């Protein structure tokens, strides 16, 4: 079922996107967490890898920059020649907690996609069954 979801994701990305387009996109959502930013990063990285990194031309890249106080997770599709970033999230230290800034280049249901990013950052590991419009578990 996840392979069908990934195929749908690939079709919802208009033409080829690149990292410069992702970088130019404004942050679409900011979510605050009481947990340490490293824990929120680890949760998000695990949840995204569970749902995207199952083959079929999709990958998740995660980097934690402890000395700088933040980490980034990017989920991408691949055309075989280049990567197309779909979701980007930055988790940063925010006092004793964390701040998650997320954005998506997916054309269909961006808010639904960002709901899943927040869900994974809270420690969820389930994936949407058919599309990102589904509400993540509580």
């Amino acid at each position: 079922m996840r392979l069908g979801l990934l195929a749908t994701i690939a079709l919802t990305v208009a033409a080829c996107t690149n990292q410069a387009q992702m970088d130019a996109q404004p942050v679409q959502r900011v979510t605050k967490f009481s947990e340490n930013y490293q824990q929120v990063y680890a949760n998000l990285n695990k949840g995204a890898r569970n749902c995207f990194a199952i083959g079929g031309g999709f990958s998740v890249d995660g980097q934690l920059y402890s000395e700088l106080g933040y980490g980034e997770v990017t989920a991408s599709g691949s055309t075989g020649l280049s990567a197309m970033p779909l979701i980007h999230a930055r988790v940063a230290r925010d006092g004793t907690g964390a701040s998650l800034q997320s954005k998506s280049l997916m054309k269909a249901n961006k808010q639904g996609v960002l709901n899943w990013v927040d869900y994974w950052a809270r420690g969820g590991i389930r994936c949407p069954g058919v599309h990102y419009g589904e509400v993540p578990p509580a």
Side-chain angles (χ1 to χ4, degrees):
M1 184 169 326
R2 284 193 286 179
L3 289 178
L5 169 66
L6 295 177
T8 301
I9 291 168
L11 295 174
T12 62
V13 177
C16 292
T17 59
N18 59 39
Q19 191 60 47
Q21 288 171 302
M22 179 62 84
D23 293 343
Q25 277 290 318
V27 170
Q28 296 161 345
R29 182 179 292 178
V30 176
T31 307
K32 304 287 185 170
F33 294 85
S34 59
E35 294 85 2
N36 177 288
Y37 81 99
Q38 292 169 319
Q39 182 63 56
V40 174
Y41 165 84
N43 292 345
L44 175 59
N45 195 32
K46 181 178 181 179
R49 287 181 188 279
N50 185 54
C51 294
F52 280 99
I54 60 171
F58 292 88
S59 65
V60 174
D61 178 44
Q63 298 291 321
L64 182 63
Y65 304 101
S66 297
E67 67 282 358
L68 300 174
Y70 74 93
E72 296 178 315
V73 175
T74 302
S76 301
S78 175
T79 64
L81 300 175
S82 65
M84 299 179 304
L86 303 170
I87 298 170
H88 177 78
R90 178 182 168 133
V91 181
R93 182 182 300 128
D94 189 358
T96 59
S99 175
L100 171 66
Q101 297 181 350
S102 54
K103 53 188 170 178
S104 172
L105 286 178
M106 294 172 64
K107 300 297 180 196
N109 200 344
K110 285 186 188 199
Q111 292 307 308
V113 172
L114 300 177
N115 289 341
W116 282 94
V117 170
D118 285 354
Y119 165 74
W120 295 325
R122 288 190 312 272
I125 59 169
R126 293 189 53 202
C127 304
V130 178
H131 57 80
Y132 281 94
E134 295 177 26
V135 177

